[in-house]
Amino acid sequence: METTLTSTRNGVPCHLLFDRSSALDIAAFVVDGTDLSPGSAIPSDGDPRIDHALAGFLFTCGPDHIRHPEPVEGRDDGTRYPLHGSLAGTSVIRAEMSADGTCCEALIEVALACGGKAAVERRWFVSENGQSVMLEDRVTNIGASAFAPMMMYHMNIGGRLLGPETHIVSPSLESGSLCWQFGEGESAHFCIPAHDEDGWSEVSLAPLPGLGGQRLAVRFRVDTLPFLQMWRCQRGGANVISIEPASHRLAKRVELAASGELGVIEPGQARGYALAFAVS
């Protein structure tokens, strides 16, 4: 399923290709003929779901686990949460596009590794001023027992579009700005508390020489996504950087549970998440 979006800020055409086979994530984000997605320039962790998802512009990690596999609580049979949670690779039950092509709504039901079940009501739409693409997710526990909701949104940008002048800019950073090739070695990541301004946080990559010097700006709701994680990989044929708003800090599940940070939603309860992005 796909739709074409046009920015009213500068008239540059933006094209989104949604992936119905993977939770209506974004397989491609094309701006004025250039796809921001990394495509094949990604590393592999051996999970075909994630290899497929990571090649696109955005994939959703959760709703029961984020990051790498860990044991399922209360199980002694070796069951582990899958890489980046259970949602990736889950097909949509239904999806509806508005007549004007500016809004798409979908329902996804996902079997959780803990044995529960969750529904994700997803809404992609163009903001009222036409300048950004927005996502609203509502995760509802439709199973018979409580589970701990965890979400992370991976926005993946091909490193080919960046240059030595490109910086990560955000009030979440102590210095306000950081070279995109942060850290040491071929791969690096960080996870920090997200700066809260009127309930939202912002981060951008700018300038992008491979996109005519334009800027990618991302905003996300901090009440349920209180952390900004970023990751880059320039190893072998991989060349990718990812902006990753996250629900939890970088720690093991047992540590998060012990400190009261994991949290649960009971059957029938729901939790909402939101983000927006724009190129200008």
Side-chain angles (χ1 to χ4, degrees):
M1 175 178 295
E2 58 187 69
T3 184
T4 300
L5 308 176
T6 301
S7 168
T8 59
R9 178 179 295 175
N10 52 20
V12 175
C14 299
H15 180 83
L16 290 179
L17 178 65
F18 294 123
D19 188 348
R20 290 190 61 158
S21 68
S22 189
L24 210 74
D25 284 337
I26 300 178
F29 177 35
V30 182
V31 178
D32 201 20
T34 299
D35 187 3
L36 277 70
S37 309
S40 61
I42 57 169
S44 175
D45 281 310
D47 187 331
R49 301 173 311 126
I50 305 306
D51 289 349
H52 173 79
L54 182 56
F57 175 71
L58 181 146
F59 84 90
T60 310
C61 182
D64 53 349
H65 182 69
I66 59 178
R67 307 183 179 106
H68 288 84
E70 292 187 51
V72 173
E73 302 87 351
R75 298 282 291 268
D76 56 7
D77 59 359
T79 301
R80 297 169 70 85
Y81 290 98
L83 179 65
H84 296 293
S86 300
L87 186 60
T90 303
S91 297
V92 301
I93 291 178
R94 67 171 185 267
E96 297 179 1
M97 184 72 68
S98 65
D100 61 2
T102 62
C103 178
C104 186
E105 297 183 349
L107 173 65
I108 308 101
E109 292 186 357
V110 54
L112 308 177
C114 61
K117 193 173 184 180
V120 181
E121 297 169 89
R122 172 158 282 191
R123 180 173 181 252
W124 287 104
F125 61 102
V126 180
S127 63
E128 289 186 4
N129 60 14
Q131 296 184 1
S132 62
V133 177
M134 303 193 70
L135 169 65
E136 292 178 347
D137 276 343
R138 179 178 172 86
V139 177
T140 303
N141 184 350
I142 58 172
S145 58
F147 78 92
M150 304 182 82
M151 292 284 273
M152 183 189 292
Y153 296 89
H154 301 254
M155 279 164 278
N156 311 305
I157 301 98
R160 69 188 185 281
L161 302 175
L162 285 65
E165 67 271 41
T166 305
H167 279 70
I168 304 163
V169 180
S170 175
S172 300
L173 296 166
E174 185 176 354
S175 62
S177 178
L178 180 67
C179 176
W180 79 272
Q181 285 191 308
F182 58 87
E184 299 180 357
E186 299 172 321
S187 182
H189 67 276
F190 64 78
C191 183
I192 57 177
H195 174 78
D196 185 344
E197 185 170 342
D198 297 326
W200 289 73
S201 190
E202 182 167 342
V203 59
S204 63
L205 280 175
L208 299 175
L211 204 61
Q214 296 190 86
R215 165 180 174 262
L216 171 67
V218 176
R219 299 176 65 244
F220 54 97
R221 216 176 96 180
V222 295
D223 60 335
T224 49
L225 297 168
F227 293 94
L228 169 63
Q229 181 169 302
M230 293 201 65
W231 165 77
R232 67 167 182 84
C233 184
Q234 285 70 45
R235 182 173 61 246
N239 190 13
V240 58
I241 184 170
S242 186
I243 298 171
E244 302 172 339
S247 60
H248 292 77
R249 63 186 173 93
L250 191 59
K252 295 292 185 181
R253 293 181 69 100
V254 289
E255 181 183 339
L256 294 170
S259 60
E261 299 172 70
L262 201 53
V264 297
I265 52 175
E266 299 290 341
Q269 292 183 337
R271 191 160 297 178
Y273 307 85
L275 60 83
F277 60 87
V279 169
S280 61

